[in-house]
Amino acid sequence: MSAMRVLLAVAATLGLGAAAIAADKPDPAADAKAFQDYFVKKFPKVAFDDFVNGPYSMNADMRRQWEEKEQFPPYEFALEAGKEMFAKPFKNGKTYADCFPNGGIGIRQNYPYFDDKEGKVITLELALNRCREANGEAPYSYVKDEMASLTAYMAYTSRGKRFDIKIPDDPRALDAFEKGKEYFYTRRGQLNFSCASCHVQSPGERIRAEILAPALGILNAMPIYRSEWSGMGTTSRRIVTCNSQTRAVPLEPQSDEYRNLEYYLSYVSNGLPVSGPGARP
Amino acid sequence: MRNFSRGIATTNVMKKIVFALMVSAVCAGSARAASEADYLTALAAAESANKEAGRLRNQWTVTQAALNAAKKAAESGNFDSALKSAQDAEALAKASIVQATSEKQRWKDMEIR
């Protein structure tokens, strides 16, 4: 920040106003372009749309195993459950479809979005629980099977649709994006790693038995089935797990920080197709 | 001082005494068994630092683990071990505060531009 202070001081002595430092105004579109260019350049052999396949885009052997597995996908069970849950009326007779645009079908690519009434980011998981609560039902855990099943179904009905996250020209929305970016790059935990340490600087590399997914398109396959979990995991569960790996105490699922993070990561993956639910080794 | 060599002898004794005093001073902390009060003071310091880390949204799992270990040792009356774990917890909590504070600016170095 000292450089900034010097600039400000210089600007002040030159009699320049705030306009002189407008270059620092958040520019999500430029950020997204730089972000995507970085990965495209780093992995010239990976087709753009393939970035949504996480570790499989990085490793041919894994990919072969995955393609075999996809014939009997392990998330099938969750998908079926999610479909049923989604259709089943609440006690008051309403359904999830009443809470979402287009009855909740084919809309995954628009989440998270910025709610200008509340001034905050609304993720799909949060919207689902709000729907439940508005209809007199108890919210689901953000890290457990029910939420994973519901989001699996909603992702499935949106497969192939390209992420289309909007950032309105509202200082609060820009701030949410900026804060999400800061969270993504901030080192934390005793291991002193940021999300970027693993998913920007080291995608394709092995960490124990796993191959690190690139940050570009990293949420497009959510939720995912993981053998290690012997079950499904939501976006919340994955982020919490990644935090713990660095020996950082995770925040509460759907805390402002996580919502902003999801907003940032989704926006910089705009243009990539929904591929969820995913299956991982 | 009657002669030169006696003087040297005295000086050597002095040195030995000073050395012994230094050793006992250095060892005082660990040679004497830690009391419950020592532990409670260290625990309070650790918990307050960890609370500050929490306010910065940057606690570490290892800090909590050290706090748990301290409490467990204290319950079984092992205040030496309890004190040591509480001190570890405080050091870890303080490191997490330093991290959170320095990352306020440092994160930008990592950004893809």
Side-chain angles (χ1 to χ4, degrees), chain A residues 21-127:
Chain A
I21 51 164
D24 236 33
K25 189 181 180 246
D27 188 349
D31 285 356
K33 179 162 189 322
F35 194 87
Q36 300 196 357
D37 285 352
Y38 171 88
F39 287 98
V40 167
K41 228 176 263 156
K42 190 171 169 109
F43 299 104
K45 291 203 202 103
V46 175
F48 185 64
D49 282 0
D50 210 23
F51 279 106
V52 300
N53 295 315
Y56 303 120
S57 62
M58 305 276 106
N59 185 290
D61 284 344
M62 264 181 98
R63 189 186 185 91
R64 222 167 297 120
Q65 292 170 24
W66 167 55
E67 280 165 353
E68 281 161 20
K69 242 203 284 206
E70 276 293 300
Q71 303 179 340
F72 303 98
Y75 51 72
E76 196 72 42
F77 181 75
L79 200 52
E80 282 305 312
K83 188 176 178 180
E84 250 171 59
M85 288 164 69
F86 195 83
K88 190 171 169 227
F90 302 126
K91 287 192 249 21
N92 68 3
K94 297 215 169 156
T95 64
Y96 291 106
D98 296 312
C99 297
F100 289 95
N102 200 40
I105 304 304
I107 59 163
R108 162 69 184 102
Q109 68 284 359
N110 301 324
Y111 287 78
Y113 71 93
F114 186 79
D115 182 287
D116 52 6
K117 273 188 230 90
E118 199 177 321
K120 288 200 177 191
V121 171
I122 311 293
T123 64
L124 187 59
E125 292 172 17
L126 186 68

Side-chain angles (χ1 to χ4, degrees), chain A residues 1 34-35 38 181-182 185-190 192 194 196-197 200 247-249 251-252 255 257, chain B residues 50 54 56-64 92 99-100 103-113:
Chain A
M1 207 60 213
F35 194 87
Y38 171 88
K181 176 165 79 181
E182 177 173 344
Y185 288 108
T186 294
R187 294 174 192 80
R188 60 179 56 81
Q190 191 189 26
N192 203 34
S194 70
S197 310
V200 171
R247 300 188 192 147
V249 174
L251 305 176
E252 320 78 61
S255 58
E257 287 91 340
Chain B
N50 198 36
L56 296 167
R57 310 283 276 163
N58 197 44
Q59 286 174 330
W60 292 356
T61 54
V62 281
T63 309
Q64 193 55 54
L92 289 166
Q99 180 187 54
E103 282 299 308
K104 282 274 161 238
Q105 290 309 317
R106 239 167 62 101
W107 69 267
K108 291 178 190 162
D109 302 342
M110 267 213 181
E111 188 186 349
I112 300 174
R113 286 171 186 279

Side-chain angles (χ1 to χ4, degrees), chain A residues 162-203:
Chain A
R162 292 177 188 276
F163 264 31
D164 187 17
I165 309 304
K166 302 272 195 316
I167 299 183
D169 191 13
D170 175 329
R172 297 167 306 168
L174 290 168
D175 188 51
F177 175 84
E178 288 294 309
K179 287 203 170 114
K181 176 165 79 181
E182 177 173 344
Y183 190 90
F184 179 75
Y185 288 108
T186 294
R187 294 174 192 80
R188 60 179 56 81
Q190 191 189 26
L191 300 188
N192 203 34
F193 280 175
S194 70
C195 310
S197 310
C198 286
H199 296 294
V200 171
Q201 298 186 336
S202 318

